[in-house]
C-alpha cells in the first residue's frame, strides 16, 4: 500500500523540518505502508525552498519529492501539482503548518484501509461554539450546496485522505479556477467524516486575510453555481409584471376617472433602481464571461522552477 502526502507550502520555512519529522514519526516507521511525501513550494519568498532541500533522505522504501513553483500560484494549484506527481493508492492533502497533524492523517488512512467501501475520509472541525467567521463559512457552504445542487460538506476542510479513483477524478478536472472543496463535492464518491481538532500553527502566520477569504468565497460560488446569473431573470420578470399591472392601473385612472397621474419622483426612483439592478447583473455576467475567457486560454495551472525526488527507487533529478 502506497500512501502519498501532498503538502502545499507558502512561506513556511519554520515548519518544513517539523513537518518532515512529524511525517517521519507517523509514517516512515511502518513496515506495510510505503509513503511518499510531496512538498510543493508555492513560490515562497522566504527560506522554504532551502529548508526543503536540506531535508534528509527518508529510509527506504519511503520517498520525498519536492516541487518549487516559479511564483505564488495558490494552494489549489499546489495541490494539483502534488496530485500529478502522486503515485499513491491513497492520497492525503495536508497543510504544512502542522495544523493538520500527520498522526491524524495516519488515522484517516487507517479508516480507509479498514473500510474498503469508503473512497474518501474528510476531516472536519468539531464545533462546540461558533465564532462569526465559522458561522459565515457554515452559511456560505450551505448556500453553495443549495445553489449548485451539490452535496457540500459544510464544515469539512480540505484535509482529506482518498483513494486513487478520487485522485484520478480530481486530476481529470483541469480547470484554471480550482476550488477544492467544490471539486470534492462535484466528483462525489463515498465520503466518511472524521472529527478532529486543528492544532495551533507550528510557526509563521496564516495566509488568509478577510479580503482573501471573501475572494475565495466568491470564486467558490462562481465556479460551482450559475444561480447568480439567473437572479437577473427573476428580477426582470417580477419588474415587468409589476410594470404591466401598474400600466393598467394608470390607463384605467386616466380613461375612466380622468385623473392626471403625477409621477416625477416615482419615475426617477424606478429608473435609478432598475438601472442599478441592470448594471449589477451585467457585472455578475461579466464575472462569468471573464472566467470563460481565462479558462479558454488554457494556460497552465502552475509553472515549475525546480523539482527533485529523494529516496525510494528513484534517483535525484
Ligand atoms: N498555502 C499555499 N499557497 C498559498 C497560501 C497558502 O500553498 O498561496 C498553504 C500554506 O503554506 C499552508 C496551507 O496552504 O500549508 C494553509 O494555509 P494557512 O495555514 O495560511 O491557512 P489556514 O490554516 O489559516 O486556513
Ligand atoms: Mg494553517
Amino acid at each position: 500500500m502506497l500512501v502519498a502526502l501532498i503538502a502545499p507550502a507558502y512561506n513556511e520555512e519554520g515548519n518544513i523540518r517539523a513537518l518532515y519529522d512529524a511525517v517521519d514519526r507517523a509514517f516512515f516507521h511502518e513496515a506495510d505502508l510505503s509513503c511518499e511525501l510531496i512538498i510543493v513550494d508555492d513560490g515562497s519568498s522566504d527560506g522554504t525552498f532551502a529548508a526543503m532541500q536540506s531535508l534528509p533522505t527518508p529510509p527506504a522504501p519511503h520517498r520525498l519529492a519536492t516541487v518549487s513553483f516559479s511564483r505564488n500560484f495558490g494552494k489549489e494549484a499546489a495541490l494539483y501539482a502534488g496530485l500529478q506527481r502522486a503515485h499513491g493508492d491513497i492520497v492525503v492533502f495536508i497543510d504544512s503548518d502542522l495544523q493538520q497533524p500527520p498522526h491524524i492523517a495516519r488515522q484517516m488512512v487507517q479508516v480507509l484501509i479498514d473500510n474498503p467501501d469508503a473512497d474518501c475520509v474528510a476531516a472536519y472541525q468539531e464545533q462546540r461554539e461558533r465564532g462569526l467567521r465559522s458561522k459565515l463559512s457554515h452559511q456560505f457552504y450551505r448556500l453553495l450546496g443549495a445553489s449548485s445542487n451539490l452535496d457540500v460538506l459544510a464544515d469539512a476542510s480540505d484535509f482529506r485522505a482518498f483513494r486513487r479513483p478520487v485522485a484520478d477524478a480530481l486530476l481529470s478536472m483541469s480547470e484554471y479556477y480550482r476550488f477544492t472543496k467544490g471539486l470534492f463535492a462535484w466528483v462525489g464518491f463515498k465520503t466518511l467524516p472524521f472529527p478532529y481538532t486543528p492544532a495551533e500553527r507550528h510557526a509563521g502566520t496564516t495566509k488568509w486575510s478577510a479580503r482573501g477569504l471573501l475572494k475565495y468565497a466568491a470564486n467558490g460560488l462562481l465556479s460551482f453555481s450559475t444561480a447568480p446569473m439567473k437572479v437577473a431573470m427573476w428580477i426582470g420578470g417580477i419588474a415587468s409584471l409589476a410594470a404591466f399591472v401598474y400600466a393598467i392601473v394608470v390607463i384605467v385612472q386616466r380613461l375612466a376617472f380622468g385623473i392626471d397621474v403625477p409621477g416625477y419622483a416615482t419615475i426617477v426612483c424606478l429608473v435609478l433602481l432598475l438601472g442599478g439592478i441592470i448594471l449589477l447583473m451585467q457585472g455578475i455576467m461579466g464575472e462569468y464571461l471573464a472566467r470563460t475567457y481565462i479558462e479558454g486560454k488554457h494556460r497552465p495551472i502552475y509553472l515549475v522552477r525546480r523539482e527533485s525526488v529523494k529516496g525510494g527507487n528513484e534517483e535525484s533529478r
Side-chain angles (χ1 to χ4, degrees), residues 8-10 12 42 72 74-75 95-97 99 133 201 206-208:
Y10 178 51
E12 304 282 9
D42 184 12
N72 181 236
K75 179 181 178 182
D95 283 357
S96 48
D97 57 4
Q99 283 196 286
R133 180 177 153 178
R201 226 173 195 286
T206 177
K207 311 298 175 305
W208 291 107

Side-chain angles (χ1 to χ4, degrees), residues 163-218:
R163 289 183 200 281
R164 180 46 48 189
V166 183
D168 288 339
L170 292 176
L171 274 172
S172 72
M173 293 191 284
S174 54
E175 57 217 70
Y176 184 82
Y177 289 103
R178 305 187 70 75
F179 182 70
T180 304
K181 264 183 239 183
L183 294 176
F184 273 116
W186 195 90
V187 299
F189 291 97
K190 272 211 169 59
T191 302
L192 298 179
F194 187 93
Y196 90 115
T197 314
E200 287 295 312
R201 226 173 195 286
H202 179 75
T205 52
T206 177
K207 311 298 175 305
W208 291 107
S209 57
R211 187 162 163 262
L213 278 173
L214 218 61
K215 262 176 86 173
Y216 180 73

Side-chain angles (χ1 to χ4, degrees), residues 50-63:
M52 283 159 63
Q53 289 306 92
S54 62
L55 288 178
T57 303
H62 310 291
R63 302 198 310 145

Side-chain angles (χ1 to χ4, degrees), residues 37-98:
L37 171 61
I38 305 171
I39 307 181
V40 184
D41 162 28
D42 184 12
S44 303
S45 52
D46 67 354
T48 300
F49 183 65
M52 283 159 63
Q53 289 306 92
S54 62
L55 288 178
T57 303
H62 310 291
R63 302 198 310 145
L64 168 70
T66 56
V67 185
S68 181
F69 286 176
S70 63
R71 66 168 168 87
N72 181 236
F73 282 91
K75 179 181 178 182
E76 315 284 322
L79 293 177
Y80 188 70
L83 272 180
Q84 287 183 317
R85 283 154 181 83
H87 301 283
D89 309 302
I90 292 179
V91 179
V92 183
F93 284 162
I94 188 166
D95 283 357
S96 48
D97 57 4
L98 294 167

